[in-house]
Amino acid sequence: MTDNAGRNRRRRRHWLLIALGAVGAAFLVWLWVQSPALYASTPTGDGRAQAIAVTRAGILGVIAAAAAFGGVMLTVTETRKANELTRQRDALTHKREMAEQRSGRYTAAITQLGSDAVDIRLGGIYALERLARDSPDDQPTVVEVLSAFVRNRSTDPELRKAPPPAEDGTLPPLRPVADIRAAVQVLARLPMLDGIPRADLAGADLTGPASLAELQFPSSASLEGVDLGRADLSEARLSGMNLAGIRGSGRADGYPRFAAALLDGATLVGAQLAGVHFEGTNLTRANLSGANLSMSSFNGDMTGADLTGAHLWRATLAANLKDAILTDANLSEANLYGSVYLSIEQVHKACGDSGTTLPDDIRPPADWPINPKHPR
């Protein structure tokens, strides 16, 4: 856009100079032709001829100077064009060299991912992260490659083999797989770019050796919209993270797991986490508005949590609900009997029914409808 504007300005300036040159040339021709008439009143013939000669010599000098100036300008223009062509060639050469360099870095990183040595695979993962940061155009490919790496390795039967028993017959615990954990961390901390998904972990089995338990993410990280259906995030540090729209149902086999995880200040807007057990999970000031938490259970700290419009059908909230926002939260058949610091004001802003179980000191609002399955 800037280059085009510059070219247009130079083009207008070029034609302006041509027009001025044409006007000047016409004036000089006119002056040459009319010079005898300019000295018609000169008394002597020799004096008149001399005056005409001097005038025409001056005209010739002006023409010579204009020609010299035109030559200089032509030289400058040609030099500018040559410099512009050189700049364009250099830019294309640099762009081609950078593309070749990125291609080489990508090929080397992919080769490292296929290594049998875990430290070399880790090197490949971090090389792909650097490539995605240096070249945003390559980030979609990096996300796809690392997502596929996590899906394939986390479900590899060789990876999930139980270790041999110890001498006393006991089975040692499964060691976490460092490369899978590193790949998920990289996916979570890559820059957020419009139109590029965070990750595609659908089908990944992030339990056992591929567990993400106790993993620490920076608060700037994001797993927005990621499928965590088979993820163990027990005791993981997810404080302040963006987990909006994450998916995972704990009803089938107890996953995903957030036992004792730190989710304080995290964003879980619109999360689909029906049937998940939040055992001892810290959800203080977490944003759970619009989340589907039906049949889920909570017994940790939810102080100041935002549950506006959340679906808590048949959920169990034996948690600290001090200052929690329950505006328009669906508490149909939910059990809040074991909750603490729950106020009447909070209850009146929620949407419950006769199937909602409240602490003994709180009476259900009179306008809550009758649930046919749980008549008063």
Side-chain angles (χ1 to χ4, degrees):
M1 192 74 174
T2 304
D3 290 345
N4 288 336
R7 281 195 293 270
N8 289 335
R9 284 195 299 269
R10 288 193 294 271
R11 190 178 295 113
R12 287 194 296 268
R13 190 161 56 243
H14 174 74
W15 285 110
L16 178 61
L17 289 174
I18 290 177
L20 290 174
V23 171
F27 174 74
L28 290 174
V29 170
W30 175 86
L31 187 61
W32 181 281
V33 172
Q34 295 296 322
S35 58
L38 295 175
Y39 302 103
S41 60
T42 302
T44 63
D46 291 341
R48 184 168 176 269
Q50 185 177 4
I52 294 172
V54 170
T55 300
R56 287 181 170 175
I59 294 172
L60 290 175
V62 171
I63 292 174
F69 177 76
V72 170
M73 292 303 297
L74 181 62
T75 301
V76 171
T77 301
E78 293 301 322
T79 301
R80 184 184 292 118
K81 288 182 178 178
N83 291 340
E84 178 66 17
L85 289 174
T86 300
R87 188 190 67 80
Q88 291 177 358
R89 282 195 298 268
D90 290 345
L92 289 173
T93 300
H94 177 71
K95 186 175 181 180
R96 182 171 60 252
E97 289 174 350
M98 293 299 295
E100 291 173 354
Q101 185 184 73
R102 290 196 301 270
S103 178
R105 290 168 61 186
Y106 174 77
T107 302
I110 294 298
T111 302
Q112 288 178 288
L113 283 184
S115 173
D116 292 332
V118 65
D119 55 340
I120 296 179
R121 292 198 299 273
L122 287 171
I125 291 168
Y126 296 130
L128 286 173
E129 179 182 17
R130 287 194 298 273
L131 177 62
R133 291 184 179 276
D134 293 343
S135 173
D137 290 341
D138 291 314
Q139 184 162 322
T141 302
V142 171
V143 169
E144 290 179 8
V145 169
L146 290 180
S147 296
F149 176 82
V150 172
R151 292 195 306 268
N152 294 338
R153 261 191 75 71
S154 69
T155 55
D156 186 347
E158 292 297 320
L159 176 70
R160 310 194 74 82
K161 282 184 177 180
E167 293 181 358
D168 60 359
T170 59
L171 289 175
L174 291 174
R175 294 181 60 187
V177 182
D179 53 357
I180 291 178
R181 294 165 71 89
V184 174
Q185 282 181 311
V186 167
L187 286 168
R189 68 186 181 221
L190 283 176
M192 290 290 292
L193 299 178
D194 291 340
I196 299 178
R198 172 52 50 193
D200 181 7
L201 301 183
D205 189 353
L206 299 174
T207 62
S211 168
L212 303 179
E214 302 181 20
L215 194 59
Q216 182 170 354
F217 292 90
S219 60
S220 58
S222 169
L223 287 174
E224 181 177 354
V226 174
D227 189 335
L228 297 174
R230 289 278 294 169
D232 185 355
L233 288 156
S234 302
E235 300 185 47
R237 300 177 66 87
L238 308 168
S239 303
M241 271 188 67
N242 182 4
L243 298 165
I246 60 169
R247 302 183 300 281
S249 172
R251 286 176 288 181
D253 49 14
Y255 292 97
R257 288 181 179 169
F258 291 96
L262 294 181
L263 284 162
D264 51 306
T267 298
L268 294 100
V269 175
Q272 301 296 314
L273 296 172
V276 175
H277 299 291
F278 293 87
E279 301 170 4
T281 307
N282 185 340
L283 286 160
T284 58
R285 299 179 306 282
N287 189 348
L288 295 146
S289 58
N292 181 8
L293 303 166
S294 300
M295 296 184 289
S296 294
S297 60
F298 304 84
N299 61 9
D301 193 350
M302 301 182 74
T303 301
D306 187 351
L307 292 157
T308 302
H311 299 276
L312 292 159
W313 175 73
R314 288 192 178 180
T316 300
L317 286 89
N320 180 355
L321 294 175
K322 183 178 180 181
D323 298 326
I325 301 172
L326 297 175
T327 305
D328 296 328
N330 180 4
L331 298 177
S332 175
E333 301 184 45
N335 185 351
L336 287 80
Y337 185 80
S339 63
V340 294
Y341 298 112
L342 178 67
S343 68
I344 296 175
E345 290 76 17
Q346 288 170 296
V347 170
H348 276 266
K349 292 179 180 179
C351 301
D353 57 28
S354 59
T356 305
T357 304
L358 298 172
D360 291 335
D361 59 338
I362 297 180
R363 294 179 61 83
D367 58 349
W368 276 9
I370 300 295
N371 188 322
K373 296 181 182 178
H374 302 275
R376 293 194 180 101

